[in-house]
Amino acid sequence: MTHTSEAAAAAETIPPVRKPRIHRAWFVAAVTFVTIIGAAAFRSLPGLLIDPLHAEYGWSRGTIGAAVSVNLALYGLTAPFAAALMDRFGIRRVVAVALTVIALGSGLTVWMTAAWQLMLCWGLLVGLGSGSMALAFAATVTNRWFTERRGLVTGILTAASASGQLIFLPVLSWMVETHDWRPAAVTVALAALAVVPFVWLLLRDHPADVGQKPYGAEEFVPKPAPVPGAARRAVTVLFEAARTGPFWLLAGTFAICGASTNGLIQTHFVPAAHDAHMPATTAASLLAVIGVFDVVGTIASGWFTDRYDARRLLAVYYALRGISLLFLPMLLVSSRVHPPMLFFIVFYGLDWVATVPPTVALCREHYGEDSAIVFGWVLASHQVGAALVAFLGGVARDVFGEYDMVWYAAGALCAVATLMALVIRRSPTATAVPVRDLAGTA
């Protein structure tokens, strides 16, 4: 028998290797989804802490808002470097450490007695931990593990944050109102710690770690070597983009976006509703509803961005948001949830992050291969805007005794953002780019 026939006979006796029915990428996406849901707890708590901390310690709302603003600013400023950290040390290590830092910062607040400790725990530790995950976590997982279905996976992982708020906001507000703010802080810490074992045991940095191709890939993709210069590139791209007009217009509009969402509504809506004698649990539930419609609005905005001028979409979104904020003082006059308030909640939820797809599309149009990094810096401006309003909103409440001036000022800022969006010039090489691809690579 020849060697060829012997090899053929041996091959017939070896059973074929069965491919797993479900690709490992979907398990990684599931772990990422659960992780983002667990991490959503720390984003749900700041607005619920303002009144309890003011009542217990006598700290001004401006002081408490300053801690929240440090948190939001670090969340944004750390985000452009998060991808560099993951390239250098791996997704699993960075996310596990980030969750542990979040748990430490939230847990230590139980023993705090001074305002600087709130700054250290909730502002610095939780801010750094949350910023190390931020947008880069979902984007890096999607880029490495998926070649097909990137848009779907990115949409699902984006929805995880809203789903987490839907789960945690009513629970945490009930704890704060029924028991104390401390059990709510401990719950956030435990939620972050509970996810760490799943991340460490089930999450893998790259498909090559388990000998698989990315989902939908035709060929095996080797694991890239650590990239120590990624952070330097992020800074270089920032300096290059900062020399162009569209960058400052995009950063300015997105700063106003953060100011009018995370900094304003997410931080100050619950205490403002409490001023109108609305129960905190009711106000928190309304915020959770915003999170639900946020998902619908983002998907619809992506569909519109494929078909219409992104600049005009941004102008429409900011104009409608500004108009709705001007009506909010007239709605926050009763402890009851009346139909006009429900209409505001649904409308505002649809508009909450509808600005993201057209902003990403404009970054892609003007900055090409560097668009993901440029968008990271634009996202940082979003959080800086949120941080400023989280602080200034608390100061305004201390000075004026109400939030009406804050809502009117935010409405005026949205009008400015509308004009800024309209003056962004079109790139001479502009081409239609599907939002799903941009989201998958952002």
Side-chain angles (χ1 to χ4, degrees):
M1 184 180 290
T2 64
H3 290 293
T4 305
S5 59
E6 288 177 358
E12 290 178 359
T13 61
I14 299 175
V17 179
R18 294 182 61 188
K19 293 183 180 180
R21 276 186 191 175
I22 302 177
H23 195 282
R24 180 65 177 267
W26 294 109
F27 290 103
V28 172
V31 174
T32 306
F33 184 88
V34 172
T35 303
I36 294 174
I37 284 182
F42 61 76
R43 296 190 64 192
S44 306
L45 192 58
L48 304 176
L49 291 179
I50 292 178
D51 284 331
L53 293 178
H54 173 72
E56 180 170 339
Y57 296 107
W59 300 337
S60 70
R61 290 174 175 82
T63 299
I64 301 167
V68 177
S69 71
V70 171
N71 176 294
L72 292 171
L74 286 175
Y75 178 94
L77 294 173
T78 307
F81 300 97
L85 288 173
M86 292 179 185
D87 285 339
R88 182 70 179 86
F89 300 106
I91 302 174
R92 183 171 60 162
R93 290 179 181 176
V94 171
V95 173
V97 171
L99 289 168
T100 303
V101 170
I102 290 168
L104 180 65
S106 182
L108 287 176
T109 57
V110 174
W111 291 284
M112 68 182 177
T113 56
W116 68 266
Q117 294 167 345
L118 178 65
M119 294 276 190
L120 174 65
C121 296
W122 198 263
L124 180 64
L125 292 179
V126 176
L128 286 174
S130 58
S132 297
M133 294 168 56
L135 180 69
F137 180 33
T140 305
V141 167
T142 304
N143 289 348
R144 292 187 179 182
W145 281 89
F146 292 86
T147 299
E148 295 181 353
R149 310 295 188 198
R150 281 182 171 177
L152 172 64
V153 175
T154 303
I156 292 172
L157 297 182
T158 302
S161 181
S163 302
Q165 291 188 59
L166 177 63
I167 294 169
F168 282 106
L169 265 171
V171 174
L172 294 176
S173 63
W174 174 81
M175 286 183 176
V176 171
E177 192 171 83
T178 306
H179 301 286
D180 189 22
W181 63 268
R182 289 176 177 83
V186 172
T187 299
V188 171
L190 293 178
L193 281 178
V195 181
V196 173
F198 291 95
V199 171
W200 193 256
L201 296 174
L202 301 177
L203 192 63
R204 292 295 180 268
D205 294 332
H206 197 276
D209 290 340
V210 292
Q212 288 192 341
K213 299 181 293 185
Y215 179 82
E218 296 293 335
E219 299 178 354
F220 182 82
V221 178
K223 184 177 180 178
V227 185
R232 190 183 307 112
R233 184 188 173 210
V235 175
T236 302
V237 170
L238 170 63
F239 281 112
E240 291 176 353
R243 298 193 185 103
T244 65
F247 173 79
W248 292 106
L249 291 170
L250 289 169
T253 55
F254 223 43
I256 293 173
C257 178
S260 56
T261 52
N262 299 79
L264 182 66
I265 297 295
Q266 190 167 26
T267 304
H268 293 291
F269 180 79
V270 172
H274 185 263
D275 287 347
H277 308 292
M278 182 183 292
T281 50
T282 302
S285 298
L286 291 176
L287 277 183
V289 173
I290 285 179
V292 174
F293 284 94
D294 157 21
V295 178
V296 179
T298 306
I299 295 172
S301 178
W303 188 88
F304 287 133
T305 305
D306 277 339
R307 292 158 176 80
Y308 302 103
D309 188 341
R311 301 169 304 162
R312 289 182 170 81
L313 287 176
L314 281 180
V316 170
Y317 295 155
Y318 286 120
L320 293 177
R321 183 182 299 179
I323 292 171
S324 67
L325 285 171
L326 296 178
F327 282 97
L328 190 53
M330 293 180 278
L331 302 178
L332 285 173
V333 294
S334 171
S335 61
R336 298 174 59 189
V337 181
H338 41 81
M341 174 59 77
L342 288 176
F343 178 80
F344 171 84
I345 292 298
V346 172
F347 181 85
Y348 210 84
L350 292 172
D351 197 284
W352 184 271
V353 289
T355 54
V356 172
T359 301
V360 173
L362 287 169
C363 286
R364 174 69 176 175
E365 178 181 316
H366 285 278
Y367 303 104
E369 293 182 357
D370 292 331
S371 61
I373 297 176
V374 173
F375 180 69
W377 287 110
V378 171
L379 177 68
S381 74
H382 180 281
Q383 293 306 113
V384 170
L388 286 173
V389 171
F391 169 64
L392 295 175
V395 172
R397 172 61 176 80
D398 291 331
V399 172
F400 298 107
E402 60 182 15
Y403 279 101
D404 288 4
M405 186 64 66
V406 180
W407 310 130
Y408 293 136
L413 282 175
C414 289
V416 174
T418 300
L419 296 175
M420 293 173 70
L422 289 174
V423 299
I424 297 174
R425 61 178 175 80
R426 289 300 302 265
S427 172
T429 58
T431 55
V433 180
V435 168
R436 287 176 297 178
D437 291 344
L438 284 166
T441 57

